[in-house]
Structures are given as C-alpha cells and as structure tokens.
C-alpha cells in the first residue's frame, strides 16, 4: 500500500502540541526519535511496543480500531479488545509525554482509527521507500533509464532490511514484511536492467548484489548479475555468479536453465 508524505499529516489532531519533527525507522530495526532524541520503548509493555510499531509501520496513515484489535488482541471479544487498546494507547501517550512533554498527542484519534502523526519536517523510512519505489516504477514505464537508476538507488538506500524484525513472526507483520521485501528486490531488478542498458555495469552489479541480499532466490537477479559481469568483461565473476545461482537451485532441487 502507498504511504502519504509526512507533510500530508500536518493537520492531524494534536500537532500544535507535538510539533517537534520525528524520525521513524521501521525497516531493519524500529527506532523512533522525537526532537533528535531516541525514545526508549524498552520501558513499555510488550503489547504497547507492538501497538506503537504497528502504527509506525503505517507512517501517518490511520489504522482502524478493529484492525488494531484483530492484530494485537486476536483472541479477545470486541469489548475486551477495545478496553485493552484504550489502556495500551494511554500508556503509550504517557511514555511519549515522559520523553518529550506534549508528544503523547502524536498518538491521535482519527474517527474510528488511530494514527501516529508525523509533524511537518518528519521522516519515515517506509514513506521514503514507497515514494522512491513509485518513482522508479513510473520511470521504468516511461523508459527513462537514468531516472530508474536514480530513484531505484534511493529506494534501496531507504530499505534498511525486514519490516519490524522485533515483531518476529507476528501474523500482522508477516504479509507487509514480505511484500516490502518483494518490492525492494523488484526495484533492484529495474535498476540492474536500466544500468545494463546504460552500460553502467558496476551499478548493475551493485543493484543485483543488494537485491540478492534481500531475496537470494531471485532468478532474475542471478541472471542479471552474471550478465553484468559478462558485459563488463569479468569472466571469472560471471562464472562465480552462475555457480552461486546453481548452488541456490541445487538447494531448491531445481534444474538450471540459465541460457546465458
């Protein structure tokens, strides 16, 4: 799903009381900074930390009450889940207020939903990744090779790793985590393809290696990596890429049809 720019949440309730820009990381690790200081979430109860992370993953987008309850209190009935959510949100606001007075207002009500508001000037890696990913895809559709590489590299830089690894295999985080990883690997393919067209073989190799860090089973990235090395005249590296790909296929019990 697409995420809005941080500035689009400027009118969110409580912004006047919590105007300090925040920095939000959800990819590779969860880190929330308010006014340049990292919020210590270790003091919060596990369910409160998960609630904060779930809201953070949506980066300024409201999350419906029922979605929050289904994700975090799946075995509770509606009334119990709602009370648990209200208690948890109150504890989160206290935690944020203790960190920086007024910051509790960042956890705001929005109709039948709650949102972690992003005041003007805030940054969020999931937003940066989503915007650069869309720019990369749009440039690819238009055949703008240089723009594909530029936006794609920005997206890969923003993608710091798995979404909220602290949440482990929680059911609510696994699908978006998987989708974001697939998107990042897909961006790497677009960058590598465009870099090959532009004869920027080092860029193509770098994109493939970054993409394979994210998805080591990507057929397209292994093929592009071998091709980039071959076009660059590095026969040994091309052979090593093919061997690496073959090892992956062997692990999977699949026959190789490289055609390279």
């Amino acid at each position: 799903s697409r995420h809005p720019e941080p500035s689009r949440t400027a009118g969110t309730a409580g912004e006047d009381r919590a105007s300090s820009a925040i920095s939000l990381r959800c990819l590779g690790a969860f880190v929330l900074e308010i006014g340049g200081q990292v919020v210590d979430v270790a003091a919060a109860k596990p369910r409160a930390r998960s609630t904060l992370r779930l809201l953070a993953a949506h980066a300024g987008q409201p999350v419906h009450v029922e979605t929050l309850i289904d994700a975090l209190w799946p075995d509770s009935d509606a009334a119990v889940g709602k009370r648990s959510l209200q208690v948890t949100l109150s504890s989160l606001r206290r935690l944020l207020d203790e960190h920086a007075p007024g910051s509790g207002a960042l956890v705001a009500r929005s109709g039948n939903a709650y949102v972690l508001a992003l005041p003007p000037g805030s940054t969020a890696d999931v937003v940066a990744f989503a915007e650069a990913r869309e720019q990369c895809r749009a440039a690819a559709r238009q055949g703008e090779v240089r723009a594909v590489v530029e936006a794609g590299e920005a997206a890969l830089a923003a993608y710091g790793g798995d979404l909220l690894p602290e949440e482990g295999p929680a059911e609510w985080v696994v699908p978006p985590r998987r989708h974001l990883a697939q998107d990042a690997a897909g961006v790497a393919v677009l960058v590598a393809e465009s870099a090959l067209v532009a004869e920027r073989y080092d860029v193509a190799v770098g994109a493939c290696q970054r993409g394979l860090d994210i998805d080591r089973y990507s057929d397209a990235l292994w093929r592009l990596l071998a091709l980039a090395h071959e076009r660059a005249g590095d026969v040994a590296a091309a052979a090593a890429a093919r061997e690496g790909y073959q090892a992956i296929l062997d692990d999977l019990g699949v026959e190789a049809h490289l055609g390279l």
Side-chain angles (χ1 to χ4, degrees), residues 63-108:
V63 183
H64 198 278
V65 167
E66 290 181 6
T67 300
L68 289 164
I69 294 171
D70 287 346
L72 300 164
W73 292 272
D75 299 322
S76 298
D77 63 39
V80 172
K82 200 165 188 177
R83 282 197 299 274
S84 298
L85 176 61
Q86 289 168 349
V87 169
T88 298
L89 290 169
S90 294
S91 71
L92 270 183
R93 291 187 179 114
R94 282 197 301 274
L95 174 73
L96 296 177
D97 279 332
E98 287 168 6
H99 175 83
S103 294
L106 291 168
V107 178

Side-chain angles (χ1 to χ4, degrees), residues 31-53:
V31 182
L32 171 62
E33 294 182 18
I34 301 176
Q37 298 295 316
V38 175
V39 177
D40 180 11
V41 297
K45 292 181 179 178
R47 202 69 60 95
R49 292 198 296 268
S50 291
T51 303
L52 179 60
R53 291 174 190 145

Side-chain angles (χ1 to χ4, degrees), residues 7 37 44 60 101 104 109 121 127-128 142 149 158 195 221 228 242 248:
S7 59
Q37 298 295 316
R109 184 83 188 232
V127 174
Q142 295 161 13
V149 172
L221 286 168
R242 291 191 182 93
I248 292 293

Side-chain angles (χ1 to χ4, degrees), residues 149-202:
V149 172
E150 184 177 330
E153 289 188 325
L156 292 173
Y159 185 82
D162 282 346
L163 177 68
L164 298 172
E166 297 87 351
E167 289 296 319
E171 287 186 15
W172 64 265
V173 79
V174 170
R177 179 187 290 157
R178 183 171 59 246
H179 292 152
L180 285 167
Q182 290 171 345
D183 285 354
V187 165
V189 169
L190 293 177
V191 172
E193 289 174 341
S194 291
L196 281 170
V197 170
E199 299 183 354
R200 297 177 63 189
Y201 305 125
D202 58 332

Side-chain angles (χ1 to χ4, degrees), residues 225-236:
L225 179 60
L227 184 58
H229 282 310
E230 192 174 75
R231 294 250 182 105
D234 193 336
V235 177

Side-chain angles (χ1 to χ4, degrees), residues 3 6 23-31 57 59 123-136 149-165 180-181 183-185 187-188 191 210-211 214:
H3 297 279
S23 172
L24 187 60
R25 275 185 58 198
C26 293
L27 298 168
F30 176 75
V31 182
T123 60
D125 57 359
V126 289
V127 174
F129 171 75
E131 290 176 349
R133 176 197 64 203
E134 293 309 307
Q135 291 165 5
C136 178
V149 172
E150 184 177 330
E153 289 188 325
L156 292 173
Y159 185 82
D162 282 346
L163 177 68
L164 298 172
L180 285 167
D183 285 354
V187 165
V191 172
R210 178 73 179 98
I214 298 164

